[in-house]
Amino acid sequence: MIEIVELPELVCIGYEIEADWQDLATLMPKLWQRLFAADTGATSFLEVSSEPAEGRFRELVGFLAAGSTEIPDGMTKLLLPARPYLRLHYEGPLSGIASGFQRLYDHAAASGQRTGDLKLDFGYTPGLTDTRHELHVALEPQPLLLG
């Protein structure tokens, strides 16, 4: 089931890269391994993705943190403002996550909702096992309709 949820401000800390789409399949598992090997004490992991330029993606693999959390060496802190998202619970192999995001985009298009380029994927675990994921696509503000 796809639903609209309002997420609060999120503080994310992790490793960030920018790469072409075709390189992500090789780079992302290595970045996750690096994060899981770091001694952060984190238990809630996510991937934050955006497409700042055609065909290139900015990815952060990290964890949710309090605003006062110290940033470990080599990591980046990313502050995401509160906003609405489309959400889908996905269960299946990691290789199917992209199709889950496509379902969200197709739903938005069919229902006339405007999406941004920000995506969130909660549910990663050490070992990159096939676990339940929460996929989110940011919604853009809808224009006011005057009647």
Side-chain angles (χ1 to χ4, degrees):
M1 177 175 82
I2 295 174
E3 60 188 336
I4 296 175
V5 296
E6 188 79 32
L7 292 182
E9 179 178 86
L10 300 174
V11 177
C12 310
I13 296 176
Y15 295 112
E16 188 174 35
I17 62 166
E18 189 172 318
D20 292 324
W21 171 255
Q22 67 271 15
D23 297 328
L24 291 177
T26 303
L27 296 172
M28 296 307 289
K30 293 175 184 175
L31 206 56
W32 277 110
Q33 290 171 358
R34 184 177 172 200
L35 177 68
F36 293 139
D39 184 21
T40 63
T43 58
S44 183
F45 301 99
L46 79 156
E47 182 174 329
V48 179
S49 177
S50 64
E51 190 175 357
E54 184 78 24
R56 289 192 62 81
F57 291 81
R58 179 170 291 130
E59 305 285 327
L60 179 127
V61 298
F63 56 92
L64 292 177
S68 61
T69 302
E70 192 171 313
I71 304 169
D73 287 341
M75 293 189 188
T76 300
K77 180 178 181 179
L78 181 62
L79 184 64
L80 302 176
R83 67 185 304 166
Y85 291 84
L86 285 177
R87 176 173 67 187
L88 171 71
H89 292 281
Y90 169 81
E91 292 192 46
L94 292 177
S95 61
I97 287 176
S99 66
F101 278 115
Q102 189 59 54
R103 283 184 58 202
L104 289 167
Y105 285 116
D106 291 348
H107 175 84
S111 59
Q113 296 167 312
R114 293 184 357 206
T115 58
D117 69 347
L118 181 64
K119 299 180 293 208
L120 307 178
D121 178 358
F122 297 90
Y124 287 93
T125 57
L128 296 176
T129 56
D130 293 337
T131 57
R132 182 180 176 143
H133 284 247
E134 264 191 33
L135 308 179
H136 296 78
V137 171
L139 290 172
E140 293 296 321
Q142 300 296 314
L144 293 177
L145 300 176
L146 301 176

